Amino acid sequence: MSAPSDLISDFRSRLDSKAALTALVLLHSAVICLSLIKVATFQSYIEFDPTRLWIAAIVAIGFSVVSLLFVFARFSFGYFVGYYFYTMILGFLWIDVFSEYSYPRLHAGLSAALALLLFLLPMLFIKAPMRQLVVLSNARFEHLLTLILAISVVTIAVASTYNFRLVSMARIYDYRDTIEFPAALRYLTGWVSSTLLPFAFACFWLLGHRWRAGLVLVLLLFFYPITLTKFAFFTPVWLIVLTVLSRLLKERASVIASIFGPMLIGLLAIWLTDANLNSLPGKYFDIVNIRMIATASSALDIYNHFFASHPLTWFCQISVVKPLVHCPYQQQLSVVMQETYGFGNLNASLFATEGIASVGLYLAPLSALVSGFVLALGNRASAGLPPRFVLISAGTLPHVLLNVPLTVALVTHGTALLFLLWYVIPRSVFAQER
């Protein structure tokens, strides 16, 4: 009789085969489209027209060929992020067929598809390791993890003096706009919650320090009453999900399952119960299928419509660029979109901000290519590290990158800091894990 570890190993290998991955990515593409059909019943920004269904189906089937890149590419940080962006762009192409907004929709769809392809080329295939000019010793690496915990505790303590409210998620919007942190504390909060603590959790868990890994999850929970964001509330749960998935599946299958599984559960829950968004299944569908996935896709629809008739930013939304050029917008783009469309504070990904908003529809693919090269530095910095460690330590970043500009993700949320941490880690510390 086979041991449980042998059964898990066999299961992991089977799901990592080309045939299994092909089935997974194609099923996921179908779930994206079916989910958006259901989203249209709850969200006014998608007007589902059955007479145009055949057009949307042809577009989705044709674009789904891109997903086969993830069958043949090897796992990397870029693979993880790239697959989430594939989900976003396929969602936009579906919404683009039914959009109520008037803009050059055919050109917008072609631009988005080309932008994703150019973005994926460096993200999936640039993996040459950087030469490590600075490498921490194993002892200093342990000290670094202790320092991260200390910085996190201090950040939580100081931030709590500015805001700490135990309220339900339904009421966070009553208070969130009133929260103000000093600039230094705002950056620290983003770095600790998005990068430093997930990095520490991955280190502690894979090195066998379970109690310290549990402490990290507790510290992460404190950011919910401080920041009043769903992102902070679900981060500990998300890290646990990725840890379990990466134990049961290999990394590529884990990436696909991490977004396919939650979307499928939400779709089945809303189908089988025929619930509204106030019910438990409806709230799950709202958080995962609408806010986590569909909102990122619909932001491209909104940005295309707005900048079809408004001046481009030419990157003036970036704080260091704004004093150097004439900027037609004095407020943040998310605020401009909120005041124009009334959908709330609408942040958007690099495809919308550094792409459509900054350089327009026709140059957006070039912007995506440059962004791909920038993020591919993560592949090079993490080369030689265990794939499971890369997956867990970068667990929050795909969601961050789907919802904020690249510059914000790199600086405010600490993506560049994570690259630096990967770069200086002694590879020998994970020799046993490998």
Side-chain angles (χ1 to χ4, degrees):
M1 188 173 182
S2 300
S5 59
D6 293 333
L7 293 174
I8 291 175
S9 178
D10 181 62
F11 179 69
R12 296 178 79 204
S13 297
R14 288 178 181 273
L15 275 185
D16 198 54
S17 67
K18 287 184 173 59
L21 289 175
T22 300
L24 277 175
V25 297
L26 294 180
L27 280 172
H28 177 227
S29 299
V31 166
I32 294 169
C33 301
L34 293 172
S35 176
L36 287 171
I37 292 175
K38 197 63 182 177
V39 168
T41 64
F42 300 109
Q43 300 294 305
S44 60
Y45 55 76
I46 306 176
E47 292 188 348
F48 179 68
D49 180 359
T51 63
R52 299 182 64 80
L53 179 60
W54 66 274
I55 301 175
I58 291 173
V59 170
I61 292 170
F63 187 71
S64 295
V65 175
V66 174
S67 68
L68 298 181
L69 288 172
F70 297 94
V71 175
F72 297 97
R74 296 175 63 186
F75 173 80
S76 63
F77 167 72
Y79 186 103
F80 191 11
V81 172
Y83 195 75
Y84 277 62
F85 273 108
Y86 164 75
T87 301
M88 181 190 72
I89 296 300
L90 178 56
F92 165 67
L93 295 179
W94 181 273
I95 292 173
D96 186 46
V97 174
F98 302 105
S99 175
E100 63 176 2
Y101 297 121
S102 176
Y103 57 87
R105 301 221 297 261
L106 175 60
H107 293 165
L110 292 173
S111 174
L114 178 58
L116 181 72
L117 281 172
L118 294 178
F119 177 75
L120 290 179
L121 289 178
M123 290 288 281
L124 294 181
F125 301 112
I126 293 180
K127 299 178 182 178
M130 293 180 180
R131 182 183 176 186
Q132 284 185 284
L133 300 177
V134 178
V135 184
L136 297 178
S137 65
N138 287 11
R140 288 184 176 178
F141 174 66
E142 292 287 345
H143 295 330
L144 173 64
L145 294 179
T146 303
L147 178 62
I148 288 174
L149 290 180
I151 291 172
S152 301
V153 171
V154 171
T155 301
I156 290 168
V158 175
S160 297
T161 64
Y162 288 86
N163 183 73
F164 194 93
R165 297 177 186 271
L166 292 173
V167 298
S168 67
M169 281 192 287
R171 298 186 60 203
I172 59 177
Y173 300 106
D174 297 337
Y175 304 101
R176 199 163 71 187
D177 289 342
T178 65
I179 300 174
E180 292 186 8
F181 296 121
L185 184 59
R186 188 169 62 249
Y187 281 112
L188 271 174
T189 301
W191 294 348
V192 170
S193 61
S194 299
T195 297
L196 293 179
L197 284 179
F199 171 83
F201 173 80
C203 292
F204 289 140
W205 185 265
L206 294 184
L207 293 175
H209 305 315
R210 299 293 193 253
W211 285 105
R212 290 189 223 177
L215 173 61
V216 169
L217 296 179
V218 172
L219 292 175
L220 281 167
L221 277 175
F222 277 103
F223 282 97
Y224 171 70
I226 290 171
T227 62
L228 297 181
T229 63
K230 294 184 178 75
F231 180 85
F233 184 85
F234 288 107
T235 293
V237 177
W238 183 248
L239 292 178
I240 293 172
V241 168
L242 288 178
T243 302
V244 173
L245 280 176
S246 61
R247 178 67 181 91
L248 299 175
L249 308 172
K250 289 193 175 181
E251 289 73 26
R252 294 189 298 174
S254 295
V255 168
I256 299 166
S258 70
I259 190 168
F260 169 63
M263 285 188 69
L264 180 61
I265 291 170
L267 184 59
L268 291 176
I270 207 75
W271 268 354
L272 296 176
T273 62
D274 197 25
N276 58 45
L277 294 186
N278 293 321
S279 65
L280 185 60
K283 289 179 180 177
Y284 179 94
F285 185 83
D286 182 40
I287 291 171
V288 175
N289 297 63
I290 296 178
R291 297 183 184 274
M292 191 174 85
I293 307 300
T295 299
S297 298
S298 68
L300 287 168
D301 183 43
I302 292 171
Y303 272 64
N304 269 300
H305 176 254
F306 183 86
F307 286 99
S309 56
H310 291 79
L312 302 177
T313 68
W314 297 107
F315 302 103
C316 75
Q317 74 273 12
I318 302 173
S319 57
V320 295
V321 176
K322 197 166 189 174
L324 304 177
V325 298
H326 170 70
C327 190
Y329 310 99
Q330 299 308 309
Q331 296 174 308
Q332 294 181 352
L333 286 181
S334 58
V335 177
V336 173
M337 298 302 161
Q338 178 184 21
E339 294 179 350
T340 305
Y341 296 93
F343 287 141
N345 200 321
L346 190 62
N347 282 305
S349 69
L350 63 93
F351 281 73
T353 50
E354 280 90 359
I356 296 164
S358 295
V359 296
L361 199 60
Y362 299 104
L363 292 179
L366 181 59
S367 175
L369 177 64
V370 174
S371 299
F373 277 109
V374 171
L375 289 174
L377 293 174
N379 295 348
R380 302 191 64 195
S382 61
L385 292 171
R388 192 181 182 206
F389 169 73
V390 175
L391 176 69
I392 298 172
S393 62
T396 63
L397 295 185
H399 297 287
V400 168
L401 287 161
L402 283 183
N403 292 285
V404 301
L406 177 61
T407 50
V408 174
L410 287 171
V411 179
T412 307
H413 289 274
T415 302
L417 179 59
L418 181 62
F419 293 175
L420 177 61
L421 291 171
W422 282 342
Y423 176 74
V424 301
I425 291 179
R427 271 45 179 173
S428 61
V429 78
F430 291 108
Q432 183 176 354
E433 168 63 16
R434 280 201 297 271

